[in-house]
């Protein structure tokens, strides 16, 4: 019998054409990187004979992972078809008969992602990387909007929101998912996960499913149970590593993990964990965004209640339940065929190690819609995320004699849930995706479903006195300023009160630092309808030495009504603004043309800055590295720190130049400049 199999001498993977067509060309064009469910082309050059339609044959075997098997879906065998079938592995010839054969090959839209070998007949073996394909309607991560895809898959930089819910502070971040080596590092992260080490065949099979991959990433971005990427640290100094504030992007973190034999990089906090998880998700082809939840509850005993304790001065006592000033996680976009319909779309998952899930420090993915509807039995970890945005807060006072009494306090949880807008640096408020309007019937239904008894029973008791904290709109680091406790008597009788008004430095996760100023007024008398505004002066000479890197101060006013014996507590966190970094680009921004960034920062402090250093980093701007420039001399109060830093952009398009300023007294000040690079 005659062998009609094609005799292949050599081949061309057409990497530049394919990678551009599959939107992976920013990873480089020196190797083949394609997305699943979308055809790619290769050219075969025959040693002898010609391709003849209907006569010539060619067998293909695609394999991934160390134990490829048809049963696990990690091995696929197929032959030539008349035309491509994008619903499964297939191949077809697209050229006329001759000694050059143009082949079109397509992977299944649910094939596991990762490194593949493709054997063609007996003589040819090619290698390629297969990624998720959000442009393919058959892929579980399909997203039907070009602007959203440009933002959530292709954008290599973005904004993470920090600060406070009254004053969100945008922080630039370089995701850098297409910088050299990053994709290989992301695949290595998958190969270092304990599920792979235990059963590689099964783990590689799981990589067809973005739910599985997201859950693996949620565990692997922290190092609590594995050789994960980052070690978290929230207290004490950062010896043996870098402050989480140091990082400007994910590239350096991922490269450090890779070159240090998969030892965790020191140190991360929530926005760093979330931003690194976003880089990896986008690198693998899953649409992803970083989300910030202000006043985020950390409920350790799953009762949907945060029990907060203060002493007789209204100062907080440490407890396991915390309210973080903000907390960041990520959302990945995918379908959820494992749940009932309507729960496709954004899925929250959280790589910051807080509580264990199925014995491992990971959290999610859980449909954002399930949180909104109070569906707490849905996978994965719905109760924990529901509590982060909905928990009730009860405040107790612990007296010197050990007795405990409940005090009246209003504390909102889950405020101004934020993410970067598509196509702009503006903040998009997505609170409505996580919860119904407060007090609405739908909110009540969701609480019923979630068995959130406390919120259902809650009746606002007004004791006739009202206590709030008011602040100025402009509070800058280095300045002295006033904050105010405002007491209003809404009752019909004269009220005599004692007011304690204090402030202390604050870490973003709710832990306390040192005292920044305190006042105790023993006799505050208010006639019916009267209002009293009590100022507290915050002086830099007092708070400057206490302030943490988060620039946060906690204000707390405690009011004791001598008439009724009732106590009220008002708490407000404020963030002090760092000075603005001004960036001016000198020269015409074009590909492969050297540019200069002129960077200026005015010293806002009443003291001299020493060891001043500016650093810049940007995807496709700084060659995947950080460029730093030290100042030769100190910078006095009110003086400008100024440098010129040179860099050479490699790709055209809108890019973000991320800038960091560091000194002895003013640390990790971030700024950025959007630059449009021409061809």
């Amino acid at each position: 019998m005659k062998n009609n199999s094609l005799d292949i001498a050599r081949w061309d993977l057409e990497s530049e054409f394919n990678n551009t067509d599959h939107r992976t060309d920013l990873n480089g064009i020196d190797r083949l990187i394609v997305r699943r469910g979308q055809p790619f082309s290769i050219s075969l050059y025959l040693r002898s004979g010609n391709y003849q339609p209907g006569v010539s044959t060619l067998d293909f075997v695609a394999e991934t992972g160390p134990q490829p098997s048809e049963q696990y879906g990690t091995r696929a065998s197929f032959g030539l078809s008349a035309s491509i079938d994008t619903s499964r592995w297939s191949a077809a010839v697209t050229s006329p008969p001759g000694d050059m054969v143009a082949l079109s090959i397509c992977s299944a839209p649910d094939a596991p992602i990762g490194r593949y070998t493709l054997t063609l007949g007996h003589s040819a073996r090619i290698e390629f990387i297969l990624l998720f394909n959000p442009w393919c309607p058959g892929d579980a991560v399909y997203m039907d909007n070009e602007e959203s895809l440009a933002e959530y898959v292709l954008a290599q930089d973005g904004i993470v929101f920090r600060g406070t819910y009254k004053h969100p502070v945008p922080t630039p971040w370089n995701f850098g998912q297409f910088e050299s080596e990053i994709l290989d590092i992301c695949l290595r992260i998958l190969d270092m996960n304990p599920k792979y080490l235990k059963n590689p065949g099964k783990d590689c099979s799981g990589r067809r499913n973005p739910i599985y991959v997201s859950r693996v990433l949620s565990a692997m971005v922290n190092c609590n149970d594995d050789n994960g990427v980052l070690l978290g640290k929230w207290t004490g100094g950062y010896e043996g590593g870098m402050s989480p504030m140091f990082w400007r992007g994910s590239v350096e973190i991922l490269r450090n993990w890779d070159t240090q034999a998969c030892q965790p990089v020191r140190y991360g906090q929530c926005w760093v964990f979330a931003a690194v998880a976003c880089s990896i998700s986008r690198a693998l082809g899953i649409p992803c965004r970083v989300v910030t939840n202000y006043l985020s509850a950390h409920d350790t005993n799953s009762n949907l209640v945060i029990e907060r304790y203060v002493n007789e001065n209204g100062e907080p006592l440490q407890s396991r339940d915390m309210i973080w000033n903000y907390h960041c996680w990520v959302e990945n976009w995918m379908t959820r065929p494992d749940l009932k319909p309507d729960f496709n779309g954004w899925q929250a998952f959280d790589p910051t190690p807080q509580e264990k899930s199925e014995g491992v420090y990971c959290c999610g993915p859980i449909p954002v819609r399930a949180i909104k509807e109070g569906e707490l039995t849905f996978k994965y970890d719905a109760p924990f995320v529901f509590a982060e945005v909905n928990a009730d807060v009860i405040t107790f006072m612990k007296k010197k004699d050990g007795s405990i009494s409940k005090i009246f306090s209003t504390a909102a949880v889950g405020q101004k849930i934020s993410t970067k807008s598509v196509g702009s640096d503006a903040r998009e408020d997505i609170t409505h995706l996580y919860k119904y309007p407060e007090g609405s019937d739908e909110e009540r239904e969701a609480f019923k479903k979630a068995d959130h008894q406390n919120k259902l029973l809650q009746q606002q008791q007004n004791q006739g006195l009202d206590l709030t904290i008011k602040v100025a709109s402009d509070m800058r680091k280095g300045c002295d300023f006033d904050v105010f406790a405002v007491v209003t008597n809404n009752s019909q009788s004269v009220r005599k009160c004692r007011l304690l008004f204090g402030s202390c430095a604050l870490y973003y996760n709710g832990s306390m630092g040192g005292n920044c100023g305190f006042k105790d007024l023993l006799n505050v008398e208010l006639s019916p309808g009267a209002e009293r505004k009590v100022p507290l002066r915050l002086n830099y000479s007092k708070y400057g030495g206490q302030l943490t890197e988060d620039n946060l101060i906690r204000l707390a006013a405690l009011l004791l009504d001598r008439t009724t014996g009732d106590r009220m507590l008002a708490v407000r966190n404020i963030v002090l603004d760092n000075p603005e970094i001004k960036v001016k680009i000198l020269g015409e921004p074009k590909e492969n043309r050297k540019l200069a960034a002129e960077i200026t920062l005015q010293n806002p402090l009443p003291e001299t800055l020493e060891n001043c250093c500016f650093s810049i980093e940007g995807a496709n701007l700084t060659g995947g590295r950080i460029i730093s420039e030290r100042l030769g001399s100190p910078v006095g109060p009110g003086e400008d720190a100024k440098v010129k830093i040179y860099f050479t952009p490699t790709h055209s398009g809108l890019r973000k130049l991320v800038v960091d300023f560091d000194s002895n007294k003013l640390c990790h000040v971030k700024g950025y400049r959007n630059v449009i690079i021409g061809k």
Side-chain angles (χ1 to χ4, degrees), residues 603 607-612 631-637 639-641 664:
N603 177 9
E607 49 191 330
T608 298
L609 301 180
E610 293 173 2
N611 306 325
C612 300
L631 269 73
S633 53
V635 179
E639 290 179 5
D640 281 350
N664 62 330

Side-chain angles (χ1 to χ4, degrees), residues 357-369:
S357 168
E358 296 179 339
V360 175
Y361 278 99
C362 66
C363 177
I366 177 73
V368 172
R369 175 88 189 271

